[in-house]
Amino acid sequence: MCTAATYQTKDFYFGRTLDYEFSYGDQIAITPRNYPFSFRHAGEMNTHYAIIGMAHVAGNYPLYYDAINEKGVGMAGLNFVGNAAYADVTSDRDNIAQFEFIPWILSQCATLSEVRTLLERMALVATPFNEQFPLAQLHWIISDKTGSITVESMADGLHIYENPVGVLTNNPPFPQQMFQLNNFMHLSPKQPVNTFSDDLALTAYSRGMGALGLPGDLSSASRFVRVAFTKMNAFSGDSEKESVSQFFHILGSVDQQRGCCEVADGKYEITLYTSCCNVTKGIYYYTTYENHQISAVDMHRENLDGGALICYPVIQGEQINYQN
Amino acid sequence: MCTAATYQTKDFYFGRTLDYEFSYGDQIAITPRNYPFSFRHAGEMNTHYAIIGMAHVAGNYPLYYDAINEKGVGMAGLNFVGNAAYADVTSDRDNIAQFEFIPWILSQCATLSEVRTLLERMALVATPFNEQFPLAQLHWIISDKTGSITVESMADGLHIYENPVGVLTNNPPFPQQMFQLNNFMHLSPKQPVNTFSDDLALTAYSRGMGALGLPGDLSSASRFVRVAFTKMNAFSGDSEKESVSQFFHILGSVDQQRGCCEVADGKYEITLYTSCCNVTKGIYYYTTYENHQISAVDMHRENLDGGALICYPVIQGEQINYQN
Amino acid sequence: MCTAATYQTKDFYFGRTLDYEFSYGDQIAITPRNYPFSFRHAGEMNTHYAIIGMAHVAGNYPLYYDAINEKGVGMAGLNFVGNAAYADVTSDRDNIAQFEFIPWILSQCATLSEVRTLLERMALVATPFNEQFPLAQLHWIISDKTGSITVESMADGLHIYENPVGVLTNNPPFPQQMFQLNNFMHLSPKQPVNTFSDDLALTAYSRGMGALGLPGDLSSASRFVRVAFTKMNAFSGDSEKESVSQFFHILGSVDQQRGCCEVADGKYEITLYTSCCNVTKGIYYYTTYENHQISAVDMHRENLDGGALICYPVIQGEQINYQN
Amino acid sequence: MCTAATYQTKDFYFGRTLDYEFSYGDQIAITPRNYPFSFRHAGEMNTHYAIIGMAHVAGNYPLYYDAINEKGVGMAGLNFVGNAAYADVTSDRDNIAQFEFIPWILSQCATLSEVRTLLERMALVATPFNEQFPLAQLHWIISDKTGSITVESMADGLHIYENPVGVLTNNPPFPQQMFQLNNFMHLSPKQPVNTFSDDLALTAYSRGMGALGLPGDLSSASRFVRVAFTKMNAFSGDSEKESVSQFFHILGSVDQQRGCCEVADGKYEITLYTSCCNVTKGIYYYTTYENHQISAVDMHRENLDGGALICYPVIQGEQINYQN
């Protein structure tokens, strides 16, 4: 399905994998400050913060999978199939269609604190984008350099959870994912110590035995634990290249290899793309399954005061550096 | 430590990760056909098959970590600490110093069958390269498109094992690694079926649950199982780019992220480089920890009839493709 | 902590382990039909169904850990530390003190259906038994031959869950315990089939490999999975002795051996006693940690129309059958 | 299959489970000192140490599954299917038929040291008991209060291993079983400490979480780890009853419940019996699947100077202590 994570060095980084068996056709889309948003139940918004992210652009509208704004807030929607449930439109709330959620937040909020305030009066409603697009069942991670929250709209209402680990995958609901980490609290990047028995000469016969018990499969619960362990213990230099490189290694720990997750006969879910946003600087880095090289689009190299979407294609196919 | 794997599409691919806390300084080294090898106990060899691989070049000698020859044989040495033991020189064997093993095999053998024959009269002896280089404790995987073998020189002699899975990591010895796969025979890329109880409505709440139980840590035994599962179930197109891309995804399943394997206070083992050789075509592809882009050196773009090593530097640092 | 389970052959069986580091002093206590119950907030009850179970008897009051009534309902309270929270007394509910819950249910309900009805208007309140007895943090399983429910009083109210597996341990809350079973749906009493790879000759080298992955530790989540697997796959003859014997084997799968769960220096939690009630016939069977022989008290061998508690001591110490 | 273990308090205890889908018909058999042993290839022995153990008695011959002698040596044979291989008769060895191995050792050896000496010149040969009894594929644990050894006769010869953990199950061979314990060295009876991340408030939500990762299934490799952990951490008083009780709890950790190990349609392997010998005092305690009460036969209550086997039946069926 998908995995999102944050990472802090000198700058703040936010990104995700998008795992699926096919792509809807994506672009790196920059929404400049004067692109007019027309919310279905919440009116018009003609000026706002600029946004960059990965989107399926339909009818000139950026259906973002994940994005950041120029102020330092990142947000991603991840599959939450079987658990997501959206509200009906009511008069006493900001009624935001599920597909508008990322624009709604990123266009207005400069900090996670402002996000929390905005969410207090918001309802996520089931208004679809159009008839061709089924309503995606999603939940979201929203982050800035001070922390992360998770938003889950379920049958029993809208839940907003503090997300101290700064990662998100898919099912089960976030509180259960966090709770499961307790079962792995003994994992460590250091070698294990023999507490089995003082009377047996047990030894670490390999490096890396401190995390024995870490799950290695591709289910959402296992990816949550694995990426949490990797991210919480990750260590890198704080230069831009070192930070970005390390971020892709963190999400690489939950890469879905073609063949390992068969969703129908001969159809395989893979990590279609992996993104890493420098939230501080407004740069969108990404790789795709078929292109290990990191590509980048920098929002600040564009005129952010425009009114039209600026789109860059996703570079596909291995870009190999032939040395001879 | 390290992981090696093979992969077959239209061509045959062979590669490995090299995991350690620092690099000795490596180059992609091509040994042309007329580079003179002077074996310590086995005489001179002035013409031989050309070889390309990753090496630490010391005193003009290619100390290969992994390499292939122009005939289609690949070979890699991986750490085998605590188990490797080398023989004394005896008169009735080909006495090959441990550091000469890769050149000895790749310079002479066009097929795995020829390798097997050569090994019958060979002893791996403890002669060091020089006083500065401690004797590495290694075992080896040798492969061509027909299969793989593993060679382990231990206190009880030289062991040559068929390697039906075509992967190798480190400890414990290879027969135990293979045996452990039996404990994971129920893993599958397909979703699990409820065999726990007909009377309980258990469900797969996430994709990818068929491999629940696959280990996710970085120990050598866990990497063996994980890369074996990934490789045996890997599926890709058979073009060069698709094959190479998929190969890096396979070895990516055992990538060692900086921070997750602490070998001393603040010192971390990481995947220094990952290689993928097109054994059929003689092309050496690689990535490094700090450079996700795939680089390549093609042996057939050089004059292979020369007598001097041809070396290319390892490209370090992220090579980012800025789209704007 | 504790584990409860049900089992159905010709008769219906219900029982539990009680795990702790010391005993409060227990007796098998029969509450006959005319023993007067004086509920703290729910009035007097002078005639009711007869009850048998394990209790700490304090001031002539049976503080039951687990019990059954003469009509075929069984009920047990198990530790739920950190999650249990009781309500304040309110005027619109049956306010039942936590320690009165088992008598309240078993004295009035002949079926699980009647239990459900009674629970609709009940609140579990925090009134303590007396000053010496701290309020136990518990949750409950209530069962008859048609099924089981779990009752959890938490900060967000009283939860009543269908319990299709008919087992209960401790933390986390019941819905999470049930959910975790999904992660084990592939376990089986049958040998595993090789789905890892068609190209590897993997084999089952031992009997019993179909349940590889079943947790073996003593934590409450692991005991839940283990006893669920054991109970759902248990098979026995349906005679009284075979049924009772099998029941003790089921709960034996979560026996806590002294030494394996150290709760303070040199203090170990053990399975103080294990009970197995023939709910159909009103017989209370049990073993203790130090007495493997099954002892039994039959409520129908007493005058159930009396007004005074009938208590039998717990037989302690191994009762060994010396054959010579 | 089977599990054997030792336990030391004031006295030395040795016992095993025998797991199978049916019984051959067993008795507690005492071989007195003057019972004549006629070894197939090793001559007559008319006086020897007295032996007590569980045996199938065929033609007045005690085919022991497990036994102890009056001097303090215990020995048990456990299934080793697919790995056991016996030698041909040769002139330079003590040729002992596999079925004679327990009598051969226990009749002559007063200590484990004497056992080691005797094994130096012994070969285990494939001579069958008779045509009806197929050659059992076994390996053995031999113990006295100073330690244990494991004996495995395989295609590559007779192996004698020190057994520091004092337990044995079945496949794979003993060195692999011991090696696997390294993977569990971090298990502990104490609660885990959070080493996952200093920045996450992970907690132990249940007692007994220190052994998370301990396998709970019935395969021989999992039983080895589980019983090793239980035995090495077991703690009890040192009186006879407390020691015996604790020993049955240790082996209870690997009890095979009917239904959890299906060996053919509707056929289940169960723990047919569990034994616990006080090796110091010559008392054979046991339980059976259908009888939880401990029964006992004391060799020293018999005339050990006799020449005829003394047999006691295995008490079957629950011996319930009805208190009313």
Side-chain angles (χ1 to χ4, degrees), chain A:
Chain A
M1 313 296 277
C2 310
T3 307
T6 63
Y7 187 57
Q8 178 78 48
T9 60
K10 207 170 47 187
D11 288 343
F12 179 63
Y13 298 86
F14 176 93
R16 65 92 59 82
T17 61
L18 192 142
D19 307 329
Y20 211 58
E21 64 269 33
F22 65 89
S23 170
Y24 284 93
D26 312 325
Q27 300 176 78
I28 298 92
I30 299 168
T31 304
R33 295 173 189 132
N34 296 310
Y35 170 92
F37 278 116
S38 173
F39 293 96
R40 298 293 170 97
H41 313 285
E44 307 292 318
M45 188 186 293
N46 289 315
T47 65
H48 50 75
Y49 299 139
I51 300 169
I52 184 170
M54 189 69 82
H56 176 73
V57 178
N60 198 38
Y61 191 90
L63 293 162
Y64 280 118
Y65 302 128
D66 53 276
I68 60 173
N69 70 16
E70 58 178 308
K71 290 296 182 181
V73 178
M75 182 167 175
L78 288 84
N79 263 327
F80 193 45
V81 177
N83 282 304
Y86 304 112
D88 294 328
V89 173
T90 54
S91 59
D92 59 340
R93 315 288 289 173
D94 293 340
N95 295 289
I96 305 302
Q98 172 261 102
F99 70 87
E100 301 170 330
F101 191 20
I102 290 179
W104 178 253
I105 294 294
L106 295 186
S107 61
Q108 305 180 68
C109 299
T111 64
L112 193 57
S113 171
E114 292 181 16
V115 175
R116 287 191 181 95
T117 303
L118 204 59
L119 289 173
E120 284 173 14
R121 58 174 204 263
M122 192 196 78
L124 273 176
V125 298
T127 311
F129 179 69
N130 65 23
E131 290 180 358
Q132 280 90 55
F133 285 57
L135 205 62
Q137 296 193 63
L138 303 175
H139 58 170
W140 291 265
I141 180 171
I142 312 176
S143 308
D144 73 3
K145 65 183 176 188
T146 69
S148 296
I149 60 172
T150 292
V151 178
E152 299 186 335
S153 184
M154 297 176 64
D156 63 348
L158 189 72
H159 300 281
I160 298 157
Y161 302 108
E162 291 303 305
N163 184 333
V165 69
V167 303
L168 189 67
T169 63
N170 314 103
N171 289 336
F174 184 72
Q176 278 181 257
Q177 295 274 29
M178 277 305 296
F179 184 83
Q180 285 309 308
L181 291 186
N182 293 319
N183 291 337
F184 300 93
M185 63 190 281
H186 59 285
L187 302 191
S188 168
K190 297 181 195 287
Q191 288 293 65
V193 172
N194 176 12
T195 53
F196 189 101
S197 169
D198 291 344
D199 296 331
L200 293 178
L202 302 179
T203 57
Y205 59 85
S206 162
R207 291 171 163 202
M209 289 178 67
L212 266 169
L214 189 69
D217 66 286
L218 299 177
S219 71
S220 48
S222 296
R223 281 184 284 109
F224 189 91
V225 177
R226 192 158 73 254
V227 79
F229 181 76
T230 307
K231 175 246 166 102
M232 296 308 285
N233 290 291
F235 179 85
S236 73
D238 63 2
S239 75
E240 181 69 355
K241 285 199 173 175
E242 289 169 301
S243 303
V244 168
S245 177
Q246 181 72 358
F247 191 93
F248 282 100
H249 281 286
I250 293 170
L251 283 185
S253 71
V254 289
D255 179 46
Q256 298 207 188
Q257 303 87 9
R258 194 188 294 106
C260 292
C261 179
E262 189 170 1
V263 295
D265 276 359
K267 294 202 174 173
Y268 302 101
E269 180 165 297
I270 61 170
T271 296
L272 293 171
Y273 75 82
T274 304
S275 66
C276 166
C277 305
N278 182 325
V279 188
T280 312
K281 293 199 170 69
I283 307 170
Y284 193 94
Y285 299 93
Y286 67 93
T287 58
T288 69
Y289 193 84
E290 298 287 4
N291 184 11
H292 281 75
Q293 188 187 21
I294 300 168
S295 299
V297 177
D298 182 345
M299 72 191 299
H300 294 295
R301 292 187 176 229
E302 307 296 331
N303 173 15
L304 295 180
D305 288 323
L309 289 184
I310 304 158
C311 294
Y312 282 87
V314 172
I315 310 280
Q316 297 284 13
E318 291 295 348
Q319 306 297 307
I320 296 173
N321 177 14
Y322 296 97
Q323 291 183 252
N324 70 346

Side-chain angles (χ1 to χ4, degrees), chain C residues 195-209:
Chain C
T195 53
F196 189 101
S197 170
D198 290 343
D199 297 330
L200 293 177
L202 303 179
T203 56
Y205 59 85
S206 162
R207 292 172 161 198
M209 288 178 67

